[in-house]
Amino acid sequence: MERTFLMIKPDGVQRNLIGEIIRRFEAKGFTLIGLKLMNVSKELAEKHYEVHKDRPFFPGLIEYITSGPVTAMVWEGNGVIASARKIIGATKPLEAEPGTIRGDYGVTVGRNLIHGSDAPETAQTEIALWFKDEELASWQPSLTPWIYE
Ligand code: RTP
Ligand code: MG
């Protein structure tokens, strides 16, 4: 079963949107297997966004991600990586469709509420970066037969 790493960014936590955001992935039919509220060190933020290290927005991005607690999560399900990116919406909230998380709650790219892994390789790297194996709960929800044929 596919897994992805999702992180509610500090603005999502401060705006009391943790429940609303988790609700969307639960209601979709994906399975939560890892969850923690945590402060992010500069080192972890820089590793997570390493691919953007030479971009002009990098220092501001690191400041944003380390500015308060985040909600780190691992979700499981068929096609969860691409589907979560659709549920999250476009990077720039003003370009994100209504009905997506960024489209419904965001205005600016520097406060776009949530991160989602963009491919199977990055999902694997990010899950290993943010979670220890023993922090992930492997379980089969009883509703599975009502979600997958
Ligand atoms: P994320 O990695 O956070 O899920 O976002 P994404 O894939 O939709 O977008 P990405 O290109 O990976 O950018 C990472 C994050 O950097 C911030 N950003 N700021 N000021 C800017 O022009 C700018 N561009 C990107 C955003 O927080 C974006 O989510
Ligand atoms: Mg990205």
Side-chain angles (χ1 to χ4, degrees):
M1 195 70 98
E2 192 172 287
R3 291 177 174 184
T4 195
F5 172 72
L6 304 182
M7 180 211 2
I8 304 173
K9 298 179 180 181
D11 50 329
V13 174
Q14 299 290 343
R15 291 177 57 194
N16 299 322
L17 290 171
I18 296 173
E20 167 58 24
I21 289 173
I22 289 179
R23 188 196 64 75
R24 292 182 177 217
F25 295 101
E26 273 190 318
K28 173 75 174 168
F30 294 133
T31 305
L32 182 62
I33 63 164
L35 172 69
K36 56 186 173 183
L37 184 79
M38 58 185 280
N39 286 108
V40 184
S41 66
K42 191 159 183 269
E43 188 194 7
L44 176 58
E46 286 177 349
K47 244 186 227 159
H48 175 77
Y49 280 122
E50 195 168 17
V51 66
H52 298 307
K53 67 176 185 301
D54 297 325
R55 309 283 286 277
F57 61 79
F58 187 73
L61 176 58
I62 300 306
E63 200 173 317
Y64 165 40
I65 294 302
T66 58
S67 64
V70 303
T71 307
M73 302 180 282
V74 178
W75 287 85
E76 192 171 78
N78 283 0
V80 67
I81 298 172
S83 178
R85 296 272 298 183
K86 279 191 191 160
I87 291 167
I88 289 169
T91 305
K92 295 181 180 170
L94 291 181
E95 291 171 9
E97 294 294 330
T100 65
I101 294 167
R102 288 168 175 168
D104 285 350
Y105 302 116
V107 176
T108 181
V109 68
R111 297 286 185 271
N112 63 0
L113 297 154
I114 177 168
H115 160 82
S117 306
D118 59 12
E121 306 73 49
T122 47
Q124 221 183 347
T125 313
E126 291 170 4
I127 290 167
L129 178 65
W130 289 81
F131 283 89
K132 298 176 189 147
D133 279 349
E134 62 265 28
E135 290 177 319
L136 300 180
S138 281
W139 63 296
Q140 270 260 336
S142 58
L143 287 178
T144 302
W146 299 104
I147 291 166
Y148 298 102
E149 59 183 352

